[in-house]
Amino acid sequence: MSLSPQTIVPGPEPRNFIPPEPAALFAARQARLTELAATSPMADWLGFVGLIAGAQLHTLPRLDGFTHERRAPLDIALLPQLPAWQGALEGLLETLASAVEGQALAALRKLAALSADDRSALAGRVINGELGDGDMDQAPLATAALELVATAIASRSSADGFSSLSAACPACGGAAVASVLETHKLNGLRYLYCGSCNSGWHHVRAQCSHCNQSGRVAYQALEEGRLWQAETCDDCHSYLKLFNRSKALGLDPVADDLASVALDLALGEAGYQRLGANPYLLLAAQTA
């Protein structure tokens, strides 16, 4: 009995870069945050960030006429100087004025009263991590305007000249907020997602995105089988969260990262350092 040779057909090449689709992204994030808030001890904060996502979606058409000479990577530090950023912030302020109350409304009015230069200076402090006590109530909206413009610009980016297997976003140089095992359409490949512009880029599985070692990588979760896991590395003692879209098609890296803060606390107590950057999580911690 002889075996006939089989023809091996290679699978499709992974997409190295996935530009964001702003309208779909912000709509899905708002829905996901609303869903997660229903059972979260951080319900108020998740609900507020959900309102912001809805305002970002509503404000997005203001950026339709905005043109930007694409550079790789995009310099986030320059965004506060762009007219588009001022327009994005104005749109968020107008949209949220009728949706918030109490301290949030007071912060909105305070921000609305600032001059354009003062608003840009606030955004610069957000980018540089130099927020003062007087900035904390206004920082979420400045952050949201930065994210909105960065996402709109990144949506027009391509993978030309980008290399995979990098810890930095190929569109803006930002840090990943989390990684996602994507669905069958992308063959279960792992993608890192930027916390600044929401771009995704391919990174091999079971390899630390910080030190690129694979020998001491492990997967940890608070409960077995949970959607929210972390890929930990005992070579550099870092971690990055890993979400599986097959377990929740509507997951959003930013939203699910916010909702899984208990995992961050446990890993911090175990001596691991977080790699991913989520501006809304940082603001939540500083506000608290």
Side-chain angles (χ1 to χ4, degrees):
M1 180 178 177
S2 62
L3 296 176
S4 59
Q6 294 181 342
T7 300
I8 299 177
V9 180
E13 289 293 322
R15 294 176 60 188
N16 281 351
F17 177 71
I18 304 176
E21 299 178 5
L25 182 144
F26 292 121
R29 180 176 298 170
Q30 182 180 28
R32 182 62 171 165
L33 285 165
T34 300
E35 175 187 2
L36 293 170
T39 58
S40 173
M42 294 178 61
D44 288 345
W45 184 253
L46 295 183
F48 178 60
V49 179
L51 287 176
I52 288 178
Q56 288 171 310
L57 176 62
H58 188 270
T59 304
L60 185 61
R62 290 192 178 211
L63 304 182
D64 284 347
F66 172 62
T67 58
H68 179 84
E69 181 182 354
R70 188 198 166 285
R71 298 177 182 177
L74 161 72
D75 190 348
I76 295 291
L78 298 179
L79 294 186
Q81 309 305 320
L82 300 178
W85 182 80
Q86 296 285 350
L89 183 59
E90 278 293 335
L92 295 177
L93 293 173
E94 292 172 8
T95 302
L96 289 169
S98 59
V100 298
E101 56 186 18
Q103 293 181 338
L105 181 59
L108 186 150
R109 290 172 174 169
K110 180 180 175 183
L111 183 53
L114 293 181
S115 68
D117 287 343
D118 286 340
R119 293 178 184 180
S120 294
L122 169 64
R125 294 194 294 276
V126 168
I127 293 169
N128 295 321
E130 299 172 347
L131 291 172
D133 292 339
D135 295 328
M136 295 312 303
D137 56 347
Q138 304 164 76
L141 291 183
T143 296
L146 288 168
E147 180 190 22
L148 179 57
V149 176
T151 302
I153 294 173
S155 71
R156 305 183 183 113
S157 298
S158 69
D160 295 341
F162 292 155
S163 62
S164 187
L165 310 181
S166 171
C169 173
C172 73
V177 63
S179 61
V180 176
L181 295 181
E182 288 295 357
T183 58
H184 64 280
K185 292 182 179 180
L186 292 171
N187 291 336
L189 296 174
R190 178 196 188 197
Y191 286 82
L192 276 57
Y193 283 90
C194 181
S196 297
C197 74
N198 296 294
S199 296
W201 64 102
H202 177 243
H203 196 288
V204 296
R205 296 170 66 168
Q207 178 175 308
C208 176
S209 60
H210 177 61
C211 69
N212 293 322
Q213 299 301 311
S214 58
R216 302 178 70 189
V217 166
Y219 297 94
Q220 305 195 43
L222 295 179
E223 297 178 24
E224 186 176 352
R226 284 294 299 269
L227 162 68
W228 300 324
Q229 292 185 317
E231 185 177 85
T232 60
C233 176
D234 283 334
D235 279 308
C236 64
H237 300 286
S238 67
Y239 75 92
L240 186 68
K241 287 181 185 173
L242 177 67
F243 306 137
N244 191 334
R245 196 175 297 278
S246 68
K247 295 184 178 181
L249 291 178
L251 75 79
D252 173 84
V254 169
D256 283 79
D257 180 50
L258 286 176
S260 57
V261 66
L263 181 56
D264 292 286
L265 297 176
L267 290 167
E269 291 175 356
Y272 293 100
Q273 182 177 358
R274 178 186 168 103
L275 292 177
N278 185 335
Y280 298 108
L281 183 59
L282 294 174
L283 290 172
Q286 293 184 49
T287 300

